[in-house]
Amino acid sequence: MRKLLFPRWLGAAVLALTLAGCDAPREAVTIHEHSAVPDNLSDWHVVEAIDGKLVLNERVTPYDLNTALFTDYAHKLRTVWMPEGANAVYGEDDFDYPVGTVISKTFYYPLATDGSVLNTDDYSADFAGSGLNLKKVKLIETRLLVKRVDGWQALPYVWNEAQTDAVLEIAGDAKRLQLVSADGSSERFTYVVPDANQCAGCHADNHTQKAIRPIGPRARHLNKDYAYQDGTENQLLYWQQMGYLSGLPELAAVPRNVDYKDVAASLDERARSYLDINCGHCHNPSGAADTSGLMLYGAEHDMRRLGVCKPPVAAGTGSGDRLFAIVPGSPEASILNFRVESTDPGAMMPELGRSLAHKEGAELLKQWIASMPGSCKAG
């Protein structure tokens, strides 16, 4: 049996089965038919609450992204599992995942002593013993993407208050939370769990085909080192070594986004990576926002299509009475900044997936646009 590897940032967490002693054996990951999807997340046996910890099953492999989609400052535990003997085939923009693949993403927050949730980048206190310590976190939801013969199925599961299991909520859910930042400030907000159709809407990044596809686990997002328990390894190489990925070219030929927080990278690289993961699934030539003419996906290099001196297709509340998507040197006059900073449902971007503004992301885009030379003045 292959030894499970997990990252050092899990601390002492070794999310593997105990094969000796009196521990009961875990049931294997179970793929349920499309028409017989279970009400409880635990019936999949991918991630489960066991003895006060959220644990991963055998060959359920965690992964991370260079820059991740912002979701109201939630922490995320991402995993992938594929049937024995099956693998994804490398593609620069999309992997061809085998039927039976299960991708999970669990959204949660570190807990404060008073029951509020914390806004922090520190993952170290989330884990103890043999898994995610449920005494220190508040689980919100676990989203599954399951690869069927006819395509991907999106399934939102919402965790109960006891954190013993998550229940399928096709219609989504909403949770009132109080978020506390490191400086002691706090704000109340409503965390919105998307319904199944909204999940499909974001993941169907080709608006014509309307087929659901994974957004995060793509080459440019996965191409990074990950500190596994027995050593640091590039995630793509690790997937290849464990039999989850075939056709991987030399890493030098694989695209790579940067971490938007990495000040060693250029301001342009950081901003473009942030826009790619947060906006590119809609703002691409075949995405839901294709008619806007604003292309924010990673492969776009035409500055006009990126928004520089580009007027909106339709004015109104979404433009904030500003004239251009990006005004070089003037973030305060740019529609992009207005929409990213807004929490008005009629104006904010992205439209789904957040109730709060991402202060750090908004500040990055402000710096990026402020650094741009030129102007939008005629002549």
Side-chain angles (χ1 to χ4, degrees):
M1 183 174 292
R2 182 183 176 84
K3 177 183 176 183
L4 285 181
L5 304 180
F6 289 90
R8 290 197 182 103
W9 59 259
L10 293 184
V14 182
L15 306 179
L17 300 179
T18 301
L19 300 179
C22 60
D23 289 345
R26 292 277 303 280
E27 290 191 48
V29 171
T30 302
I31 303 300
H32 300 271
E33 295 297 327
H34 191 292
S35 59
V37 170
D39 289 333
N40 294 323
L41 177 68
S42 59
D43 290 329
W44 292 90
H45 305 295
V46 175
V47 293
E48 294 179 80
I50 299 175
D51 296 331
K53 302 177 181 67
L54 186 70
V55 296
L56 280 62
N57 211 336
E58 185 177 7
R59 298 178 63 252
V60 174
T61 302
Y63 67 88
D64 198 10
L65 309 180
N66 281 307
T67 289
L69 178 73
F70 172 72
T71 312
D72 287 341
Y73 293 102
H75 285 201
K76 300 171 187 178
L77 176 60
R78 304 171 182 84
T79 75
V80 61
W81 178 89
M82 300 180 204
E84 191 76 47
N87 63 70
V89 179
Y90 177 87
E92 186 169 295
D93 192 51
D94 284 294
F95 295 169
D96 184 6
Y97 286 93
V99 171
T101 298
V102 181
I103 295 172
S104 82
K105 184 161 59 171
T106 298
F107 298 71
Y108 68 96
Y109 291 90
L111 272 175
T113 54
D114 64 357
S116 57
V117 297
L118 299 176
N119 175 2
T120 174
D121 285 336
D122 183 9
Y123 278 68
S124 62
D126 301 353
F127 299 88
S130 61
L132 181 60
N133 188 341
L134 298 182
K135 292 182 179 179
K136 294 188 175 183
V137 303
K138 181 174 182 61
L139 299 176
I140 305 296
E141 59 166 322
T142 295
R143 303 177 193 174
L144 298 185
L145 278 180
V146 183
K147 181 66 179 293
R148 307 294 191 180
V149 173
D150 58 351
W152 291 92
Q153 182 182 21
L155 299 168
Y157 285 86
V158 177
W159 283 90
N160 61 27
E161 287 300 316
Q163 303 198 142
T164 55
D165 210 340
V167 177
L168 182 65
E169 295 288 356
I170 295 297
D173 198 6
K175 293 185 179 292
R176 292 286 295 165
L177 300 172
Q178 180 165 310
L179 185 72
V180 179
S181 298
D183 62 3
S185 63
S186 66
E187 57 184 321
R188 292 189 178 277
F189 72 103
T190 300
Y191 181 104
V192 178
V193 178
D195 63 42
N197 288 332
Q198 290 172 324
C199 290
C202 283
H203 281 272
D205 59 356
N206 186 311
H207 196 53
T208 301
Q209 297 177 356
K210 299 188 183 301
I212 299 174
R213 296 189 294 185
I215 296 173
R218 291 170 167 171
R220 65 187 182 275
H221 304 310
L222 291 171
N223 188 7
K224 61 171 290 187
D225 287 346
Y226 196 99
Y228 295 95
Q229 189 188 10
D230 65 347
T232 298
E233 179 64 274
N234 179 278
Q235 291 185 126
L236 297 173
L237 289 178
Y238 179 66
W239 283 29
Q240 180 184 61
Q241 292 164 8
M242 71 177 298
Y244 271 8
L245 184 63
S246 65
L248 178 67
E250 293 294 324
L251 283 182
V254 178
R256 178 182 177 272
N257 279 9
V258 302
D259 181 346
Y260 86 96
K261 300 187 298 294
D262 183 6
V263 295
S266 72
L267 190 56
D268 184 67
E269 288 176 315
R270 294 166 60 202
R272 291 303 312 280
S273 290
Y274 184 85
L275 291 171
D276 186 23
I277 192 66
N278 282 280
C279 311
H281 51 283
C282 284
H283 286 272
N284 68 74
S286 57
D290 58 347
T291 57
S292 72
L294 183 62
M295 301 293 111
L296 301 176
Y297 71 121
E300 184 58 68
H301 297 290
D302 183 294
M303 297 306 290
R304 177 80 169 190
R305 287 164 62 84
L306 276 169
V308 175
C309 298
K310 180 194 175 302
V313 171
T317 58
S319 70
D321 295 322
R322 304 179 186 190
L323 299 179
F324 303 103
I326 292 176
V327 179
S330 300
E332 69 281 356
S334 300
I335 297 171
L336 180 65
N337 297 88
F338 170 73
R339 303 200 76 172
V340 168
E341 295 168 11
S342 177
T343 55
D344 179 350
M348 69 180 191
M349 284 291 175
E351 295 175 310
L352 300 173
R354 71 175 180 91
S355 298
L356 301 172
H358 187 199
K359 297 174 183 177
E360 296 77 8
E363 179 60 29
L364 170 65
L365 296 179
K366 185 181 295 183
Q367 294 176 17
W368 179 55
I369 292 175
S371 72
M372 291 182 179
S375 72
C376 296
K377 296 179 181 178

